[in-house]
Amino acid sequence: MLFSARGHSLTAKCWKHKRRSISLNDEAAVFRRLKELSEPWIGSMRRQVFLKSGDVLHARIKRAIGVFDAPEYMECLLQQRDGEAGDNALAFGNCIARVPAGGSATGFAHIACQALAAKCRCQFERYETIFEGHWGDGRLRWFMSRAETEGEEPAGTVRATEKSLCVELGLGFPSRRQEDSGRLIRVEVLHEGEVIGHILRSFNPVFHRSYRVGLWIRDVIPVYEVARDMPDDSLFQRAVIFAILGTWFCYAPIKGERSAG
């Protein structure tokens, strides 16, 4: 169970927050509200991130779940801990996911990082999930194809582009059999075939080395382990951040749900 996002009420057609009611059919209004909720964090985003092998990123994650298969609201403040200097905000994303749309579901998200804001959409289909967005000349795309058997591992990719530049990452998801076998869900992040980090969630965080009581009290948990030094490249860093947020918004097992995407 993730920490609760207070004040949100969701039905299949409506999102209510602090006495404001928004129809989920009104995409422009949904995006405006997501942006408004993210604005308090945008001014504190760091432009540059220096991550070395062994570092762990934490996140303040809150979630509100609707009833009777209604959509969910989730927000994630991604942080880099800097010892006595405090926590540095790297990105903030919030999302309304699984809005009914015919035989499938959609979603809307707003992500802010490094002085940029991206407007994103989700598409949940039976055999694949796509999460993509854009900012100015930049484009972001998160993709997962589902496995057909319990032993097969789903495949995924993340692509970040800006003008003539492009960064592609791979995502290695556990099989459904592996998802149900332990206390810790890990998703590999790969670059050119090499593992550069793990997106994770520990269902019993006291057993994870980055667990801290003081952080847990503030609703902060470890979400990404760095396996290789991150290059000093802002587009590469955005791709990694988008991989983390896309996985938390779109991959059900990391939220404690069955493999529905």
Side-chain angles (χ1 to χ4, degrees):
M1 187 71 180
L2 297 180
F3 304 106
S4 175
R6 297 181 180 179
H8 296 268
S9 175
L10 294 146
T11 67
K13 297 182 179 180
C14 182
W15 171 26
K16 294 182 180 179
H17 179 243
K18 294 186 177 179
R19 299 183 180 180
R20 290 180 57 179
S21 180
I22 298 173
S23 169
L24 295 175
N25 292 324
D26 188 346
E27 295 184 16
V30 172
F31 276 124
R32 280 197 302 271
R33 188 58 178 146
L34 289 170
K35 181 180 178 182
E36 288 173 4
L37 292 173
S38 72
E39 283 176 351
W41 304 104
I42 291 178
S44 63
M45 297 295 116
R46 288 193 63 187
R47 285 182 172 271
Q48 202 67 2
V49 185
F50 299 99
L51 296 176
K52 296 182 179 180
S53 177
D55 287 350
V56 177
L57 296 183
H58 290 70
R60 171 190 169 275
I61 297 177
K62 292 184 177 292
R63 185 183 182 204
I65 306 173
V67 296
F68 304 115
D69 296 324
E72 66 175 7
Y73 170 80
M74 180 178 285
E75 61 184 35
C76 176
L77 175 66
L78 192 62
Q79 298 174 327
Q80 179 186 28
R81 298 193 64 227
D82 192 14
E84 296 181 357
D87 299 333
N88 300 311
L90 303 183
F92 180 87
N94 55 355
C95 179
I96 289 285
R98 303 191 182 285
V99 180
S104 61
T106 64
F108 315 98
H110 185 271
I111 293 176
C113 66
Q114 300 170 341
L116 295 172
K119 186 176 176 181
C120 308
R121 290 183 59 91
C122 323
Q123 190 67 39
F124 301 90
E125 300 291 351
R126 183 177 179 184
Y127 294 110
E128 64 181 29
T129 300
I130 299 172
F131 181 52
E132 54 189 349
H134 64 88
W135 79 88
D137 295 326
R139 296 290 184 273
L140 297 160
R141 188 176 192 270
W142 184 101
F143 171 81
M144 182 185 76
S145 62
R146 287 188 189 72
E148 297 184 5
T149 66
E150 286 192 358
E152 184 181 352
E153 297 179 356
T157 58
V158 174
R159 174 180 291 182
T161 59
E162 189 171 39
K163 297 180 180 178
S164 61
L165 303 175
C166 178
V167 174
E168 290 197 23
L169 304 175
L171 296 173
F173 297 93
S175 67
R176 289 202 295 271
R177 190 176 297 139
Q178 292 169 331
E179 290 169 358
D180 299 330
S181 65
R183 294 188 298 260
L184 186 68
I185 296 289
R186 289 180 182 270
V187 177
E188 293 181 337
V189 181
L190 305 100
H191 182 243
E192 297 179 347
E194 180 183 358
V195 176
I196 63 170
H198 294 91
I199 303 165
L200 59 93
R201 184 200 173 171
S202 175
F203 289 91
N204 195 341
V206 71
F207 290 104
H208 191 270
R209 66 181 180 85
S210 295
Y211 170 81
R212 299 289 185 275
V213 174
L215 294 177
W216 180 259
I217 291 172
R218 289 167 18 217
D219 300 348
V220 178
I221 58 176
V223 294
Y224 184 72
E225 294 177 328
V226 182
R228 195 192 73 186
D229 293 359
M230 186 182 293
D232 185 12
D233 180 317
S234 59
L235 188 62
F236 192 97
Q237 293 170 8
R238 287 177 206 137
V240 171
I241 288 172
F242 196 68
I244 297 169
L245 295 180
T247 301
W248 269 93
F249 289 156
C250 300
Y251 182 55
I254 210 164
K255 294 181 282 190
E257 300 173 353
R258 298 180 62 184
S259 298

